[in-house]
Amino acid sequence: MSAAGVTLAYGDRIVAEGLDLEIPAGKVTALVGPNACGKSTALRALARLLKPRTGAVLLDGRDAGDFSPREFAQRLALLPQTPVAPDGITVRDLVARGRTPYQRWWRQWSSADEKFVDQALEATGVDALAERRIDELSGGQRQRVWIAMALAQDTPVLLLDEPTTYLDLAFQVDVLELVADLGRVGGRTVVMVIHELNHACRYADHLIAMRSGRVMASGAPTDVVTPELVESVFGLRSVVVECPVAGTPLVVPVGGRRPADAMA
C-alpha cells in the first residue's frame, strides 16, 4: 500500500502537500509525530475516508478510488479512534458485524462466517467474553473486541487510529502485543497511528515520522530513531539508548523542549 504525491485538505486548510507514503507489506508500521502533524489525516486517506486533492492512494497496485465499497472493505479494515457500539450489543454480535462485506441478498450468514468470528474471538483472547455485553467490559477488553471485529473482516490490511487511547499502561502493552502478533505471526499489513514513541519503537517493524504534513524519516526504528530526529520532529532534546528488554531504541527526554511548528 502507498500514497504518491497526495495533497490532503479540509476545506481551505491544507494538511499535507505532495505527501509520499510507502507501507511495507506484512509488517507493522507506526505513524508517529507531534499533535496535529497530519498522521491521522494520512490514515484517513489510506482508509479512503478523505479523498486526496492531488495524487493517489494505491492498494494492490490500483487506485483505491477504483474499488467498489464492498471490494475495498474485503481488502482493508479500519479501527477508528473512538468507535461506538450499539447499546446492549454482545461481544459476539459486534464481532460478527465484521462479516458484513461478505453478505449478499442470496448469501446470508454461513458456517464460514461463523468460523471467522470464532477465530477472531480466539485470536484476541475474548472468546470467554462472547456472550457479555460490550458496555460491561473494561477499556482494554473493549479494544480487543473492536480489533476482533476488524479481524473477522478477514482483510490483508488493517489500519488502527490510536488503538491505545484512554488505556492504562498495562492495557496499552496488552493491546500492542496483540497488534504486533497480527503482523508478525498473522502476516497482515498493519498501520497504526500512535503517540507514544517508545511503544512505536518496540512494537512496530517500520516507523514513519511526520511533522507539518511531511515525512521526516522512515525505516526500521533502530535505523531512524536518533536524538537529532526526536528534536527535529518533536522539538525535544533526548538521549536514545537501547531498551534493556527488547533491544529497540528507548528515548529518554532530557528536557528543554523547544516549540515545533506543526500543521493540523
Side-chain angles (χ1 to χ4, degrees):
M1 188 172 201
S2 62
V6 297
T7 297
L8 305 174
Y10 298 105
D12 295 332
R13 183 168 60 91
I14 295 177
V15 176
E17 193 167 10
L19 180 65
D20 295 319
L21 296 173
E22 194 67 39
I23 308 298
K27 296 185 180 298
V28 178
T29 294
L31 296 178
V32 300
N35 290 336
C37 71
K39 53 189 184 294
S40 287
T41 298
L43 196 77
R44 285 175 55 83
L46 294 178
R48 217 171 66 165
L49 297 178
L50 180 65
K51 185 177 181 180
R53 295 280 178 88
T54 63
V57 172
L58 303 178
L59 178 62
D60 297 337
R62 291 173 55 187
D63 191 311
D66 292 342
F67 290 92
S68 71
R70 187 181 298 275
E71 284 181 308
F72 195 73
Q74 290 176 356
R75 288 168 170 81
L76 182 147
L78 169 69
L79 177 59
Q81 191 174 138
T82 53
V84 178
D87 290 339
I89 194 170
T90 66
V91 168
R92 178 176 290 276
D93 287 343
L94 182 63
V95 174
R97 295 193 174 203
R99 301 303 299 163
T100 300
Y102 302 92
Q103 304 301 304
R104 303 288 197 281
W105 67 265
W106 69 87
R107 179 196 176 279
Q108 297 300 312
W109 192 259
S110 68
S111 58
D113 295 316
E114 194 72 28
K115 182 186 75 171
F116 280 113
V117 170
D118 288 340
Q119 289 175 342
L121 290 167
E122 183 178 357
T124 52
V126 295
D127 43 331
L129 307 174
E131 305 311 320
R132 296 270 301 275
R133 292 180 4 173
I134 295 295
D135 52 18
E136 298 174 351
L137 305 182
S138 69
Q141 289 172 327
R142 283 197 299 271
Q143 198 69 333
R144 278 182 167 267
V145 173
W146 285 110
I147 294 174
M149 186 184 76
L151 286 184
Q153 198 170 326
D154 189 36
T155 61
V157 180
L158 176 61
L159 307 184
L160 307 168
D161 193 359
E162 299 187 27
T164 57
T165 299
Y166 309 127
L167 299 183
D168 65 32
L169 182 58
F171 279 131
Q172 288 179 35
V173 171
D174 189 43
V175 168
L176 289 170
E177 287 182 346
L178 170 61
V179 170
D181 285 345
L182 296 179
R184 295 167 189 168
V185 179
R188 287 177 176 81
T189 300
V190 180
V191 185
M192 62 176 174
V193 169
I194 186 168
H195 277 293
E196 176 53 61
L197 182 57
N198 285 329
H199 283 168
C201 290
R202 179 164 178 172
Y203 294 104
D205 306 299
H206 187 79
L207 189 143
I208 298 175
M210 295 183 63
R211 179 183 169 195
S212 301
R214 296 183 295 118
V215 173
M216 303 295 288
S218 64
T222 52
D223 294 334
V224 301
V225 177
T226 63
E228 293 76 20
L229 178 77
V230 175
E231 184 163 8
S232 66
V233 171
F234 294 94
L236 180 69
R237 293 189 300 118
S238 66
V239 174
V240 178
V241 299
E242 182 178 297
C243 173
V245 175
T248 53
L250 182 66
V251 178
V252 182
V254 297
R257 186 186 191 281
R258 62 173 177 78
D261 57 329
M263 292 178 61

